[in-house]
Amino acid sequence: MRALLDLILPRECGGCGVAGTLWCARCATQLAGPPVAVSPRIDTGVPVWAVGAHGGARRAAVIAAKERGRRDLARPLGAALAGAVRQLRALGELDPPELAGLTVVPAPTRRRAARARGGDPVLAMVRCAAERLAPEAVRVERALSFGAGVRDSVGLSAHARVANLAGRVRATPPVGTVRSDCVVFVDDVLTTGATAAESVRALAGVGVRVDAVLVIGVA
Ligand SMILES: [Zn+2]
C-alpha cells in the first residue's frame, strides 16, 4: 500500500525535502529544542517561547502543514510541542503536572481558511501534543475565534496587523479548565505577536490567565 501511495504522492521530508521519508531524523533533531525565549515586537504580557533555535526545518514544516496540506506533519510538530512543555517544566518555567493541570488553547483560525486547508493545522498539532503527554490528561480548549472583519494577515505591516486584530479575537470561557490550571497558548508561527497578545487579552476577559505562549517558529 505504501509503495502504491509513493507512486501517487512521492514521499518527502516536510522539513528539508529529502526524499523517501515524511519527516527525517535531522529535522526531528532540529525540532527537539531546547526551547528559546522570544521577545515579540508586540508585548503579550506573558513569557513567549519557540520550541527550538534553528529556523529551517520548523519554518518549512509549518508552511507545508499550513499551505500544502501536509496533515501528517501534525505528529512531529505535536511531538516538538510536547517536548518543549516537558523542557519548560524542567526549567521551572511551567508548573509541573503534579502541581497544576495543563490546558492548551490553540490560536484562533479564520474558519474559511481552515476549511480550505482541510482542517486547522494548529489544532491538529495541539491534539498530537496532548496525546504525546499522556497519561497526563491535557485539556485542549478551543476557546478563541476571530470576530467578523479579520483579514488574512499575510503581507500586512506590523501596524496593520495590530489594527486588523484589535478587539477582534473572541474568547468563550473554556469548559474544562480549572482555576489552578497552567494555561499555554499555542500558535504555529509568531510574526509580530499581535495574535498572541490579543488572544491573551481576550482570555483574560473571560477569567483565564495565560501562563505562557508557545510557538513552533518565529517568522
Ligand atoms: Zn528533513
Side-chain angles (χ1 to χ4, degrees):
M1 188 60 188
R2 173 140 253 174
L4 184 63
L5 279 175
D6 279 354
L7 287 177
I8 309 163
L9 298 165
R11 270 191 295 168
E12 61 172 48
C13 173
C16 65
V18 71
T21 178
L22 290 170
W23 189 246
C24 78
R26 218 180 51 132
C27 288
T29 308
Q30 272 201 36
L31 245 78
V36 174
V38 178
S39 305
R41 255 179 294 170
I42 293 155
D43 186 18
T44 64
V46 301
V48 180
W49 301 90
V51 297
H54 300 284
R58 284 181 294 137
R59 191 177 158 72
V62 163
I63 291 168
K66 209 174 190 162
E67 283 154 28
R68 297 211 297 274
R70 282 289 303 268
R71 279 191 260 177
D72 59 291
L73 294 176
R75 199 161 286 280
L77 294 174
L81 289 170
V85 166
R86 286 202 191 93
Q87 291 177 72
L88 289 170
R89 281 170 167 169
L91 293 168
E93 298 289 346
L94 294 178
D95 282 335
E98 41 308 346
L99 273 188
L102 178 63
T103 285
V104 181
V105 182
T109 186
R110 289 181 317 121
R111 258 191 220 112
R112 203 182 315 156
R115 267 203 303 270
R117 292 191 296 255
D120 175 355
V122 177
L123 178 63
M125 68 179 77
V126 163
R127 284 186 173 147
C128 287
E131 275 171 31
R132 276 289 182 129
L133 291 165
E136 184 185 348
V138 176
R139 285 180 265 273
V140 175
E141 297 279 5
R142 300 171 74 183
L144 297 167
S145 59
F146 285 129
V150 173
R151 289 182 295 152
D152 194 332
S153 61
V154 173
L156 295 183
S157 68
H159 182 78
R161 278 171 194 261
V162 175
N164 186 33
L165 289 178
R168 293 204 179 103
V169 174
R170 306 274 153 82
T172 48
V175 281
T177 302
V178 294
R179 191 167 281 276
S180 62
D181 269 7
C182 176
V183 179
V184 177
F185 168 85
V186 170
D187 205 349
D188 48 6
V189 174
L190 183 105
T191 309
T192 57
T195 304
E198 279 294 323
S199 297
V200 168
R201 186 168 33 199
L203 286 166
V206 295
V208 177
R209 181 186 43 82
V210 173
D211 291 283
V213 169
L214 178 60
V215 299
I216 300 288
V218 178

